[in-house]
Amino acid sequence: MSDAHAQSADSYYIPHGSPWPIFGSVTLFTLMGGAISALNGWLPAWSLVPGFVMLCLLFIFWFSTVIGENQRGLYNLAVDRSFRMGMMWFIFSEVMFFAAFFGALFYARELAVPWLSGNGVKVFTKMLLWNDYAGSWPSNGPSALGPRANGSFETVPALGLPAINTAILLASSVTITIAHHALIAGHRGQVKFFLALTFLLGFTFVGFQAMEYHEAYTELGLTLGTGIYGSTFFMLTGFHGMHVTLGAIMLTVIWFRIMRGHFTPQRHFAFEAVAWYWHFVDVVWLGLFIFVYWL
Amino acid sequence: MAHASAEHAHDDHPDQPATGIKRWLFTTNHKDIGTMYLVFSLIMFFIGGAMAMVIRAELFKPGLQLVDPLFYNSMTTNHALVMIFGAVMPAFVGLANWMVPLQIGAPDMALPRMNNFSFWILPFAFTLMILTFFVPGGAAAGGWTLYPPLSIQGGDSFPMVIFAIHMMGISSIMGAINVIVTIVNMRAPGMTLLKMPLFCWTWLITAYLLIAVMPVLAGSVTMLLTDHFFKTSFFNAAGGGDPVMFQHIFWFFGHPEVYIMILPAFGIVSEILPTFSRKPLFGYDSMVYATASIAFLSFIVWAHHMFTVGMPLAAQLFFMLSTMLIAVPTGVKVFNWTATMWRGSLSFEPPMLFAIAFLFLFTIGGFSGVMLAFVPADFQYQDTYFVVAHFHYVLVPGAVFAIMAAVYYWLPKWTGHMYNMTLANWHFWLSTIFVNVLFFPQHFLGLAGMPRRIPDYAVQFADWNMVSSIGAFGFGLSQILFAIVVIQCARGGKKATAQVWDANPRGLEWTLPSPAPYHSFQSVPEVK
């Protein structure tokens, strides 16, 4: 049984010959090819489907192989350390991805919109191009882009759904920590309960986010095309929402593994990796709540 | 189960590689993957080189003669993308794959499956990019920097380039994570960080830069994509965005990217110069600190690529001064290399020749970089051939020469054979002469005001352009010698010893027989 894998192999496990990486490359090519075909109008939108199916299969096959090797006790502590470091650096790369979009938000707010309004050295821009534009945040630009004929739009108030979503994500951070402590203490019943609670909170968050988007599109005049505000709002919250969805799926997978009896109080890297990831999406959300919704 | 581990370790470690195509498709072996990276890089070097030949042929004399301007622009754009992401970066990753485990005494890279994934993404990404030549509207022609609004107005090639860049980014990030984890986690006992070969040190820092900036590139090109297809206004002033914002985000990636392409070269030169000077490297610790300083500074100099966009004066001053600061750690390196050779017992094998050429010619590129850092001077140089001359000096006799030096240094270790020294020497001298004939006149052209990325030019630029083109054809043809030397050496030749060089090189890789066995350091070496 799985518990036997606590004591592990002497040598660093090097897998021999694996078909999944090359399958992954073909998958990425299919996925990207599908996206390109759809965007260029070469094929209808279903051209994305094969890539997504292959992506799901890739994750299933690749992770099953790794989980199987882990259950067979092939991974020693050094391998475990490699996985940990790998995950941390992956999360760091994700931080930098979000940093690019936060950078765009700050640049637009603090520089682009004021300059378009004639601040500082850019007074001629205003005089020559958009003399009647007095930009302030939130802004959809001098041409007031957006779905409404008069160019107006409203923002999502911070104290509505976003505040509830903040509470949900913070609560889920607490529940996953409780689950982690329970796993270390060997209380598997508690782990199951609190982990399930965590991913349910995660999916609830995504559901609320979808409601918020629906309202933005149908009632607030706030869309991706609503100037720079709409662009930064939807790209930041959208990428975050995708990460929450992915994280919640990962939590669900971990929950199934717990149900199967995987993990020991000492060795449960996958659990921890997903927990780190979850805390990461939580921290990103706090940034979003403060800089996108609130301030 | 615990008792099963020994058997499995045996099952999963055949001493011989698999046969046929499966070996290369499914491999998790760092040497196989390193070889694939290097071969891929060489192929891309010739494809990108062919594009450069088209450019130089068109510029051989004034007027339009060979290609139409749009195709010319797609040549400059794709030459850059192929050389940066297809030739130089994969070559360094290939070298890291081969050498990092050997130099730190590890059995393999830390995450072998992901290692295979990192490599095999690349051929698919470049298939996507090369295919852009065959879609309506032609290949991307707005420059490799993809500045909006021009890049957003591209034809069907536009999303193809964006997604190709996404794939290259995924590959680079995974490759970089692997290098970091390998170096931090897999060093042999006794190999403390400050005993590590400098090639590992520079790669460790490079990998950090890669993980920090490749996602930023991904973000910036994603914004281009949504601006084109989904009505966002990131780079559209009418919606409150700013095209200049793209340049800021892009160069926040782009400047560290420049150092991603040169730091491993510093590491290589720091390995080769001590060997053939028969002296330890002068100032090892200061080399490490200088590398880290350069990496840090690379994050705060990006706007020197865009001095003419109309930034506030304070920003221009800041980026000018921070850029000049880079000369300090780079100077430390150049002086250390020089001091390493001082009173050494020098011998001039091909790797040493390339390393010395690197030292001189990279320094020329560094000096023109300092000239470009001055804002008032840069207003004159911006977008002229002076810039082209500058970055080709640091990239060709800089990065590419270092890669060649590395190949000539370690090739006998990889193949087990010595290569044809005469031919390698010919390759060196022809390359070094022609690279200067090719790029040095471009300084004059730039200072005289010839703009870059233009297929035609005023007649007063004719003479030096012809000289430059002759240099380009000579340099391009000389590289065929390189391919011949490498292929010959892979097929056979005089047996190489474990030491390979009489100069008695230091480092764990030389304790292994040549060729290095398929699985090296199964038993952990001791480092004193």
Side-chain angles (χ1 to χ4, degrees):
Chain A
M1 260 306 293
S2 54
D3 293 24
H5 77 208
Q7 61 282 62
S8 23
D10 306 329
S11 61
Y12 197 92
Y13 176 70
I14 310 284
H16 168 65
S18 171
W20 307 129
I22 182 81
F23 178 69
S25 305
V26 177
T27 299
L28 273 184
F29 188 67
T30 313
L31 192 64
M32 303 286 180
I36 291 159
S37 307
L39 288 173
N40 277 338
W42 298 340
L43 293 171
W46 57 255
S47 59
L48 275 163
V49 174
F52 273 113
V53 173
M54 286 169 74
L55 194 65
C56 295
L57 292 176
L58 172 70
F59 283 131
I60 293 169
F61 290 140
W62 192 326
F63 284 113
S64 318
T65 309
V66 173
I67 291 167
E69 285 168 359
N70 182 33
Q71 294 303 107
R72 275 150 62 204
L74 297 180
Y75 296 164
N76 62 9
L77 283 172
V79 176
D80 194 65
R81 252 192 329 268
S82 289
F83 284 157
R84 276 161 201 283
M85 291 178 187
M87 187 68 194
M88 280 188 223
W89 285 102
F90 167 67
I91 290 176
F92 175 60
S93 80
E94 292 269 52
V95 169
M96 292 309 292
F97 182 76
F98 276 98
F101 286 90
F102 273 107
L105 173 71
F106 297 147
Y107 185 94
R109 260 184 96 151
E110 299 302 325
L111 296 172
V113 168
W115 281 344
L116 285 168
S117 318
N119 270 20
V121 292
K122 305 301 166 98
V123 65
F124 284 108
T125 313
K126 180 187 167 75
M127 279 165 57
L128 293 171
L129 292 171
W130 289 290
N131 211 1
D132 50 352
Y133 176 62
S136 64
W137 198 257
S139 172
N140 53 352
S143 296
L145 301 180
R148 290 184 184 164
N150 66 358
S152 70
F153 72 98
E154 293 145 59
T155 59
V156 179
L159 282 177
L161 269 182
I164 298 173
N165 264 348
T166 308
I168 288 175
L169 272 197
L170 287 178
S172 75
S173 242
V174 175
T175 54
I176 196 166
T177 307
I178 297 174
H180 191 193
H181 283 285
L183 181 58
I184 293 169
H187 306 314
R188 296 186 73 91
Q190 263 189 41
V191 181
K192 287 169 196 165
F193 175 76
F194 280 100
L195 197 56
L197 197 58
T198 309
F199 68 71
L200 288 176
L201 285 168
F203 285 120
T204 312
F205 173 94
V206 177
F208 280 161
Q209 194 76 358
M211 279 168 59
E212 179 187 298
Y213 277 17
H214 182 75
E215 192 189 317
Y217 263 76
T218 52
E219 282 161 38
L220 302 178
L222 179 58
T223 68
L224 257 182
T226 307
I228 188 66
Y229 185 85
S231 310
T232 50
F233 175 82
F234 280 105
M235 293 300 278
L236 274 164
T237 57
F239 273 118
H240 177 261
M242 279 162 58
H243 282 76
V244 175
T245 312
L246 196 67
I249 293 171
M250 282 154 52
L251 286 168
T252 314
V253 172
I254 294 296
W255 185 76
F256 277 110
R257 288 189 64 187
I258 294 273
M259 298 304 272
R260 283 255 193 121
H262 290 193
F263 306 128
T264 65
Q266 294 79 31
R267 299 284 299 271
H268 45 265
F269 160 70
F271 184 102
E272 286 171 283
V274 175
W276 296 340
Y277 192 81
W278 197 248
H279 290 309
F280 151 71
V281 295
D282 206 13
V283 170
V284 173
W285 175 259
L286 288 179
L288 287 178
F289 183 70
I290 293 168
F291 293 111
V292 176
Y293 290 98
W294 183 9
L295 295 181
Chain B
M1 279 169 254
H3 65 265
S5 57
E7 302 156 31
H8 282 294
H10 182 72
D11 284 346
D12 291 313
H13 276 283
D15 285 331
Q16 290 307 314
T19 49
I21 187 75
K22 271 184 159 177
R23 166 176 178 186
W24 304 102
L25 291 182
F26 297 161
T27 186
T28 50
N29 181 283
H30 73 102
K31 300 186 184 76
D32 284 351
I33 295 169
T35 305
M36 290 197 291
Y37 263 113
L38 288 167
V39 171
F40 175 80
S41 153
L42 187 62
I43 294 168
M44 284 294 138
F45 181 60
F46 280 105
I47 293 176
M51 293 175 181
M53 294 302 110
V54 174
I55 294 167
R56 281 322 312 178
E58 176 59 50
L59 294 176
F60 190 76
K61 59 179 189 174
L64 294 174
Q65 40 264 323
L66 290 175
V67 294
D68 71 280
L70 181 70
F71 187 77
Y72 177 87
N73 286 342
S74 69
M75 282 291 115
T76 55
T77 304
N78 285 277
H79 163 72
L81 288 170
V82 166
M83 286 304 200
I84 293 168
F85 294 104
V88 173
M89 287 168 70
F92 282 131
V93 183
L95 291 169
N97 252 296
W98 254 103
M99 299 321 298
V100 165
L102 297 190
Q103 289 192 325
I104 63 172
D108 205 297
M109 296 291 278
L111 303 161
R113 278 197 195 92
M114 197 172 80
N115 200 14
N116 175 313
F117 197 18
S118 312
F119 170 73
W120 273 108
I121 289 174
L122 285 180
F124 290 97
F126 279 91
T127 305
L128 208 52
M129 223 179 75
I130 300 297
L131 282 177
T132 57
F133 280 98
F134 306 101
V135 298
W144 81 277
T145 49
L146 302 169
Y147 282 3
L150 190 56
S151 66
I152 295 178
Q153 293 158 6
D156 283 2
S157 66
F158 170 71
M160 299 172 79
V161 175
I162 301 289
F163 284 116
I165 288 174
H166 274 307
M167 289 174 77
M168 296 165 203
I170 294 169
S171 159
S172 295
I173 290 169
M174 289 196 298
I177 290 176
N178 225 334
V179 170
I180 293 191
V181 175
T182 306
I183 292 176
V184 177
N185 193 28
M186 309 275 285
R187 294 193 314 279
M191 173 145 320
T192 54
L193 280 174
L194 284 175
K195 277 187 191 165
M196 229 166 39
L198 258 172
F199 179 66
C200 294
W201 253 116
T202 53
W203 239 114
L204 179 66
I205 292 166
T206 302
Y208 165 74
L209 290 180
L210 274 167
I211 302 176
V213 301
M214 290 312 282
V216 176
L217 173 69
S220 68
V221 297
T222 303
M223 291 180 217
L224 287 179
L225 191 80
T226 57
D227 267 17
H228 182 105
F229 287 106
F230 303 108
K231 292 186 182 164
T232 57
S233 303
F234 287 109
F235 311 127
N236 176 10
D242 187 352
V244 173
M245 181 168 82
F246 176 84
Q247 301 185 22
H248 280 290
I249 303 174
F250 179 87
W251 285 113
F252 183 84
F253 144 80
H255 203 81
E257 167 69 17
V258 172
Y259 294 142
I260 287 164
M261 291 191 286
I262 203 65
L263 292 185
F266 290 169
I268 290 163
V269 171
S270 307
E271 301 281 315
I272 293 173
L273 286 178
T275 296
F276 297 103
S277 305
R278 291 163 180 80
K279 275 177 65 190
L281 181 69
F282 185 89
Y284 172 94
D285 289 11
S286 65
M287 284 300 215
V288 173
Y289 299 137
T291 311
S293 310
I294 292 173
F296 167 74
L297 289 172
S298 77
F299 285 106
I300 54 165
V301 299
W302 76 87
H304 67 216
H305 295 266
M306 37 193 290
F307 277 145
T308 56
V309 296
M311 272 181 287
L313 185 64
Q316 294 183 2
L317 285 171
F318 172 80
F319 287 110
M320 172 170 80
L321 295 171
S322 58
T323 303
M324 287 183 202
L325 267 185
I326 295 177
V328 176
T330 313
V332 168
K333 285 185 166 290
V334 171
F335 285 123
N336 278 346
W337 288 323
T338 314
T340 303
M341 288 164 67
W342 176 252
R343 294 195 169 168
S345 164
L346 307 189
S347 60
F348 298 98
E349 288 84 346
M352 181 64 162
L353 289 172
F354 272 99
I356 294 172
F358 172 95
L359 182 51
F360 279 87
L361 300 177
F362 173 80
T363 305
I364 291 178
F367 282 145
S368 58
V370 177
M371 292 170 73
L372 285 159
F374 284 87
V375 174
D378 183 77
F379 283 3
Q380 305 299 313
Y381 306 148
Q382 168 88 24
D383 260 340
T384 68
Y385 257 83
F386 190 78
V387 178
V388 177
H390 158 68
F391 68 73
H392 278 98
Y393 258 92
V394 288
L395 281 176
V396 184
V400 173
F401 269 32
I403 292 164
M404 285 166 174
V407 170
Y408 282 132
Y409 189 45
W410 285 309
L411 192 60
K413 177 57 63 187
W414 303 335
T415 63
H417 308 296
M418 298 307 286
Y419 47 84
N420 185 333
M421 292 289 165
T422 319
L423 218 50
N425 279 322
W426 270 97
H427 172 229
F428 168 76
W429 285 108
L430 289 173
S431 296
T432 303
I433 291 165
F434 279 122
V435 86
N436 285 293
V437 176
L438 162 56
F439 292 120
F440 209 80
Q442 295 184 359
H443 290 111
F444 312 148
L445 289 168
L447 292 177
M450 178 171 159
R452 59 190 286 213
R453 291 175 173 163
I454 305 282
D456 189 8
Y457 50 83
V459 285
Q460 71 265 32
F461 304 128
D463 295 348
W464 286 122
N465 264 302
M466 191 177 283
V467 172
S468 179
S469 286
I470 290 168
F473 303 144
F475 183 77
L477 289 174
S478 315
Q479 301 323 306
I480 295 171
L481 291 180
F482 179 61
I484 292 173
V485 173
V486 171
I487 292 168
Q488 273 186 352
C489 180
R491 294 166 68 112
K494 198 171 123 245
K495 289 285 304 161
T497 61
Q499 283 273 345
V500 179
W501 307 105
D502 340 320
N504 209 3
R506 289 144 55 101
L508 281 178
E509 73 261 41
W510 310 105
T511 64
L512 291 168
S514 306
Y518 195 59
H519 294 292
S520 36
F521 298 122
Q522 296 269 50
S523 57
V524 183
E526 188 92 31
V527 181
K528 285 166 290 277

